[in-house]
Amino acid sequence: VLCCVEKNYENMGRYFDTLITKHADAIFLIGLCTDNQENIEAIENLSKQIPVIVLNGVLDMDNVYNVVCNEKYMAVSIVQKLCLSGYSRIAYIYDTTTYSGLKKLEGYRKGVEQCGLSIENLTLQIPEDISMSDISIAAKNIADFMNSFETMPDAIMTADDVLAVAVLKAAALIGIELPVIGWYNNLYSQCCTPTITSVDIDLAKMGEMAVLLLLRVLNNKYVPKYIEVQARWIERESFHSGLIAKRN
């Protein structure tokens, strides 16, 4: 049984009740937003009845098992890679503050700190109702953000390939070229021009590990509470866009 809550996080308890009435043996949660305490309590109550497997999120509860990707480490390494390539004003653009989103943001900040760079308000949060529905408006917001600096960013990391597309549109609007890094390695990263360098969090591997983990739980075998999958750097054309951000 597949349920998609989209942005209706307040309805998660209702979805859980539906799955329980259908005699589900376990529930997989893909992604996790911990802002809503009612949802956390609903998951805790659910875990008292059946196993819960969380993909790309972490909850420390009995009968809850977590499969995540090392996104924080990957974000740190991307900042370091950009820094070693000569970029010093690395901006980060994101939308959601899920577990995954926060780990990427933490990694960006740690990478900037380790490289001795200044963040100087070089982060921008685009509301999710814009980032996931209107790339043109997102691009305008990003262009305004970039134009707000006397010395604009010379490289941009994003939390999602959709945001990376918006960055490329923003760069075209204001007439600059600069490296753009996306996240998730979805079709957006391959369909646009230039193609987008991205991070593949290996959802297929996470799903495989989650199923194997559940089989061990159902067979009463030892199961770790936390499994981490390694992300992969997928380099494409956008990593080489401009040695330094310049107006055309």
Side-chain angles (χ1 to χ4, degrees), residues 92-97 123-128 141 145 163:
Y92 181 64
I93 297 175
Y94 64 104
D95 47 9
T96 64
T97 53
T123 59
L124 173 67
Q125 183 175 13
I126 301 291
E128 189 178 4
N141 289 353
F145 165 74
L163 288 171

Side-chain angles (χ1 to χ4, degrees), residues 7 95-96 127-135 160 162-163:
K7 300 169 189 173
D95 47 9
T96 64
E128 189 178 4
D129 59 346
I130 293 176
S131 68
M132 294 294 114
S133 62
D134 198 321
I135 289 179
D160 190 286
V162 176
L163 288 171

Side-chain angles (χ1 to χ4, degrees), residues 2-158:
L2 180 65
C3 294
C4 179
V5 300
E6 293 184 337
K7 300 169 189 173
N8 301 314
Y9 299 122
E10 68 277 5
N11 292 327
M12 287 181 68
R14 178 168 61 84
Y15 287 109
F16 295 158
D17 291 341
T18 298
L19 292 170
I20 288 296
T21 61
K22 294 181 180 296
H23 306 290
D25 294 314
I27 289 182
F28 294 88
L29 293 177
I30 303 176
L32 184 65
C33 184
T34 58
D35 293 342
N36 189 316
Q37 186 58 35
E38 289 185 8
N39 287 339
I40 301 302
E41 292 174 359
I43 295 171
E44 187 172 17
N45 290 333
L46 177 68
S47 68
K48 295 175 181 177
Q49 304 174 66
I50 57 175
V52 176
I53 316 297
V54 180
L55 287 83
N56 219 17
V58 172
L59 281 178
D60 185 15
M61 296 177 181
D62 290 338
N63 213 26
V64 175
Y65 306 90
N66 309 280
V67 182
V68 300
C69 179
N70 62 334
E71 293 181 277
K72 180 177 179 178
Y73 170 82
M74 196 66 186
V76 172
S77 68
I78 290 172
V79 174
Q80 293 172 340
K81 183 184 290 284
L82 288 167
C83 182
L84 289 172
S85 298
Y87 303 103
S88 59
R89 291 183 57 76
I90 304 165
Y92 181 64
I93 297 175
Y94 64 104
D95 47 9
T96 64
T97 53
T98 59
Y99 171 86
S100 171
L102 291 174
K103 286 300 176 184
K104 285 178 278 192
L105 182 59
E106 289 173 13
Y108 163 76
R109 288 172 172 164
K110 184 175 181 180
V112 167
E113 179 184 358
Q114 289 182 350
C115 290
L117 305 177
S118 172
I119 294 180
E120 192 192 347
N121 297 319
L122 288 173
T123 59
L124 173 67
Q125 183 175 13
I126 301 291
E128 189 178 4
D129 59 346
I130 293 176
S131 68
M132 294 294 114
S133 62
D134 198 321
I135 289 179
S136 294
I137 293 179
K140 183 182 183 304
N141 289 353
I142 293 167
D144 291 343
F145 165 74
M146 294 171 70
N147 277 322
S148 69
F149 297 98
E150 183 175 346
T151 302
M152 67 175 55
D154 57 11
I156 296 182
M157 285 176 54
T158 68

